[in-house]
Structure formats: structure tokens, C-alpha cells
Amino acid sequence: MSKKPIKNKVSSKRNVSKKIVKPLKKSVKKVSVKAGKKIVQEPIVMQPPRGMRDILPNEQEYWNRVRMVLDKEYPKYGFGRIDIPVLEYSNLFIRSIGKGTDLIDKEIYTFVTKGKDKVALRPEITAGVARAFIQHGMNVLPKPVKLFSIGPVYRYDRPQEGRYREHFQANFDIFGEEDSVLDAQLIQLAYRILGALGLKNVQFQVNSIGCPDCRKEYIDMLVSYFESKKKKLCKTCKARLKTNPLRILDCKEDKCVQVSANAPQTVDHLCNGCRDHFKSLLEYLDELELPYAINPQLVRGLDYYTRTVFEIWSTDEEGKKKSLGGGGRYDKLIESLGGEPTPAIGFALGIDRLVLEMKRIKAKSYENPKPRIFIAQLGNLAKKKSLKLFSDLERDGILIAESFGRGSLKSQLRTANRLGVEMTIIIGQKEALDETVIMKNMITGTQETVPQEKVLNAMKKILKSKPMIIKKKKINNI
Ligand code: HAM
């Protein structure tokens, strides 16, 4: 994406719809003189920062479908919604996610405020939710406490399709229960959501990375294995040997993948408690008949995880895998942030990726209800009457389209036709004076004049009857 500044010039609507508007190339530096001083203003770049984008109305159908499904599913599983700031003190994230992770070392957006506070745009949602859980004393609530949140997340990563510096997550966290029945229920919820979105061809990858007790021994073993193969590792993984050896298992570089294939596996080195926990999770998943693959290389990129970790993958036509969501247990996080020991588990879905996947497989989107009536008007008095009529109809829950601009009657009727409405109410200069309206049936082309005070009831009657099937070809009488 080039970052060339362009002139701040608004194109006409007509241009926008008919042509692809090319950014103008020249930047304009604005120079002004104030109190004898020359002030040079930087040109405005007519695009958001790299890796961020607008989600335009024509894409919202997919986003709406995702939001609708989420809104329907989270209460069914006992979640309450929580909204938290996108900005938190930086050390909350550093302590939760951990130094040595890509998220903290490379991707977090941090800055110092005018009040000298060190803050960060959230690179994920769970740390903030955990902070809110402790701050608001939610540990006294009946357990488990289930919290759902949705919103933007910021990661300074190299942008590409499906990877943005601002992306959106739907985040589910459950506090206060250690039993793996909740791990299974959360995976079931993820299945339910993806199924409702039409995304059935996905793979659930699960693993257990143990608790701090068994993991310490495992990591020692892993480090000595990778030390013996150090020459074969990529540069980043050589560094990871010191900072975050677990992450080497997750490296996508061919040579590291080959070395990792023979590395000791977490599941073979779990303590009894962690092994039983993982075993019972798999039993629950089998009971629920939810397919999964055990992936011993799956470690996740955040330090707070313990025991269960999982990811949901989609595969495109070229065999490329993308993670649509992921999560796991973080039984020690609340305590490490200063709260009472509270086991927890959660996961997040990447909404941008869900939408991409829905488009790729041509899954159903949610179309906003279409207006069935159009109001066309001509002249100032007619416009006034139309505005009132619009408000009356809208108050009665009737969806109406209008074009209160200055267009001719002909062009307004063309718009009505394009929108595929069933009826058009026309108020011209004569009708405005007579206090009448013309009701035009857009399918048959018939029209009748009715008094203004009767139009509301007349419309309600017509709309109560079955929606008419509009065949565009047949509308040739405009
Ligand atoms: P995560 O795997 O880092 O987990 O992110 C969750 C999902 O967000 C990913 O599976 C992916 O679909 C999406 N995602 C991540 N980065 C990007 C990006 N740069 N552009 C577009 N989509 C992206 C977490 O964030 C954990 N906090 C999940 C969790 C909740 N664990 C416990 N509770």
C-alpha cells in the first residue's frame, strides 16, 4: 500500500460510483504566514495508517451477519457483555502477554501521554478483561464468570491479506473454573458460531502445554534439543532459544519446521494433573462429537497460557492455513496480576478473517431489510409534507426510502425502481396544495390519488399483505 499524500479534493458522487477514483499524486504543502512567521502544514494523506482500513457499507452485510450470530450465541452460553477501553497502561500487557513474545517485543503500539502515562493500544482483549475482573471484584460473583467482549485490537505487524494493524476480535473469557468441561464447552461454542456463519470446513487444533511445574522440566529438555540443532534454526529462532524457546515449535520457516518435527512434545511431558485434564477434555470433545486434531507443535504466541491451547484453522484453495481464532487456559494470569488465584479459559475469533472466509466460500451474508416504499416529491411545500409523512411512516416501523435532494421526479422514480420498492408515494406541487398524494404501484404501474390523512392506513394495509415479487423487467412504465 503506497502512502502517497494526495490532494484533499472531494470527487463528485457520480464519479465515485462510475469510475475507480485514482488518488491524486501531488502532495500539497500548505504554507501560511501567522504573526510574521512562516508555517508549513504537512499535507493530509487521504488514507488511514498502513495496515488499517475502512469497512465500507457494501461489506457490512458480512460484518452484520457475524455480529448477529455473536449476539445470539453469547447469551445462550451464559456470557455477559463487557466493554473495556482500547487503551490500557502498557505494563498490564507486558506483564500478561510477556516480554520475549512477538506481541510485546515487536507489535504493541505504546506511547507516553501528555500526562506522562505509559499506555498502549490493546494488542488483545483478555489482559484488559482480566484487569476489569480484578478491579471490579468479580471474584465474589457466582462462578464461573463468563465475559464476552468485541472490538478493535492493534498489532504493528507486517500487513497482508487477513493480517491488519487494526483488526477486530470477538473475545470470550471464563473465570473461576478449572474443570476441562468448560474448555470443551468453549470449543463447542466456537463450533456453534462458525457453523451459524456457514464456516463448516474448519479444523480445530488442540494441545496441552502443561502448567508452570511440568513446563519447566519440559522447556529444559526442549532447549537442550534445540541447542543441539542450533545451526539449522533460523535467526529469529536462534534468539528465541534464549527468550522464548516454546515459540520455536510454532515457527513457519521450513528449516525450523523440520527441526521441530522431532522435538520433544509437551503432551509427553505433562504432570499427572495436566495429563488428566487434557485427557478429560478429549473425552468431552468425543462425547460432543466435535472433531479435533491434536497438534503437539501448537503453543500459541502469548505467555499467559497454561494447559489447554487451541486454534481454529481454515485452509484456502492453495492449501494456505489461516487461524480464524484461538485461545486456551490461563489459570495463573489473575493471580500474577495481583488478584485472587482464579483459573480461567478463553478464546477470540478474528472477525476480519471470518468475513474473508465467508466471502471466499460464498457464505450467506446478512442483508439489511429493504425499504418497500419510496417517497418522491417536487417543490418546497411537497418536500415539507414528505418529511412529515416519512416521519409518520417510520414511526410506525415502516422502512421507507426517499430522495429529499433536488432531483427531478423522473430521476426520483428511477431511484425508486433501482431500489426495487413496491409502492411509491408521489407528492407534487398540485398534491401538496390539495393535501393528497399519489400512490403508485411499482409492479402493475397503476396509481391512485388518496387524501394525505389516509395514506398511512392505506400503506399499512398494502404492506400487511404478502410482499409482492418484484420482477425488474416488468417495471417499464417509468
Ligand atoms: P490470537 O490468536 O492472538 O489470540 O488472536 C485471535 C484471533 O485474532 C486470531 O486467531 C486471528 O483470527 C485474529 N488475528 C490475530 N492477529 C490478527 C491480525 N493482525 N489481523 C487480523 N486478524 C488477526 C488472542 O488474541 C487471545 N487474546 C485470545 C484469547 C482470549 N485467549 C484467551 N482468551
Side-chain angles (χ1 to χ4, degrees), residues 369-388:
K370 292 227 158 55
R372 296 173 68 186
I373 299 176
F374 188 88
I375 302 183
Q377 40 68 41
L378 203 66
N380 282 342
L381 184 58
K383 196 182 291 187
K384 238 185 245 168
K385 304 256 178 201
S386 304
L387 189 63
K388 173 78 172 62

Side-chain angles (χ1 to χ4, degrees), residues 124 126 155 162 164 167 169 171 173 300 304-305 323-325 346:
E124 59 108 44
T126 302
R155 296 181 181 181
Y164 310 104
H167 72 273
Q169 289 190 4
N171 189 79
D173 286 303
R300 310 270 302 133
Y304 54 59
Y305 289 115
S323 150
L324 300 180

Side-chain angles (χ1 to χ4, degrees), residues 103 123-126 153 155 157 162-169 171-173 300 302 304-305 311-312 323-328 330 345-353:
L103 233 57
E124 59 108 44
I125 298 180
T126 302
V153 163
R155 296 181 181 181
D157 202 351
R163 194 204 285 150
Y164 310 104
R165 289 184 176 172
E166 179 187 65
H167 72 273
F168 292 78
Q169 289 190 4
N171 189 79
F172 299 82
D173 286 303
R300 310 270 302 133
L302 301 92
Y304 54 59
Y305 289 115
E311 267 180 19
I312 306 151
S323 150
L324 300 180
Y330 47 97
I345 179 162
F347 80 105
L349 292 167
I351 302 181
D352 311 64
R353 293 193 188 170

Side-chain angles (χ1 to χ4, degrees), residues 174-178 306 328-332 334 342-346:
I174 305 181
F175 298 91
E177 184 55 72
E178 198 179 2
T306 46
R329 281 211 156 261
Y330 47 97
D331 290 342
K332 307 290 171 194
I334 296 292
T342 309
I345 179 162

